[in-house]
Amino acid sequence: MARGLAQGARGLRRKVAPRFEPRRVAAWTVLANLFLDTWFDEEQYLRFAQTLVGTGYSPAELERIFVTEVAPVFGPNLLSVAGEWVLWDEDEVEELVTSAMRPDGTMPLRKRLLGKVTQGLARPDWIRLKSLVEAEICET
């Protein structure tokens, strides 16, 4: 399963009708990048935080998106020795998340369970990012 995401996700281009607001896709993209086998410097975390603040979602809603929408799709990337390292772009993220969802916009049970297991792999990065988001919100 992890192998399929790492080796099959890039370059896979199926046309999926956009069903989500651009701000949702922007949040997905930032959060998906936490599931890369990549080290981010403070400047990158600040850019990620500014993007998330710009979406208008609360930290609690971003937490829910992280756990229920992003981790089920991108978590397996950190389980693969051949995982992706390059930042995801919005088109790829939108395609991967929407194609993983059921027509009602929820994740299948198998994906939700996978997300519960894999979200812990990116949790330290999410906690750091979430604190920056909260600080940015307090400043504005």
Side-chain angles (χ1 to χ4, degrees), residues 33-36 38-45 48 85 87 125 128:
N33 285 317
L34 299 181
F35 290 94
L36 295 172
T38 301
W39 179 84
F40 299 115
D41 62 16
E42 191 64 22
E43 198 173 297
Q44 183 64 56
Y45 276 108
F48 284 163
W85 298 354
L87 292 178
D125 289 325
R128 181 175 180 194

Side-chain angles (χ1 to χ4, degrees), residues 89-107:
D89 70 41
E90 286 191 354
D91 290 338
E92 289 175 304
V93 169
E94 182 176 23
E95 181 179 326
L96 291 169
V97 174
T98 56
S99 65
M101 288 181 169
R102 292 187 286 210
D104 66 358
T106 62
M107 288 288 168

Side-chain angles (χ1 to χ4, degrees), residues 20-30 57 90-91 93-94:
F20 293 91
E21 299 175 324
R23 71 185 189 125
R24 187 64 151 227
V25 176
W28 285 343
T29 303
V30 167
Y57 292 116
E90 286 191 354
D91 290 338
V93 169
E94 182 176 23

Side-chain angles (χ1 to χ4, degrees), residues 70-89:
V70 176
V73 177
F74 295 93
N77 191 62
L78 289 178
L79 299 174
S80 173
V81 294
E84 189 58 56
W85 298 354
V86 180
L87 292 178
W88 296 102
D89 70 41

Side-chain angles (χ1 to χ4, degrees), residues 50 66 118 126 131:
Q50 290 168 346
F66 171 77
T118 60
W126 165 239
S131 70

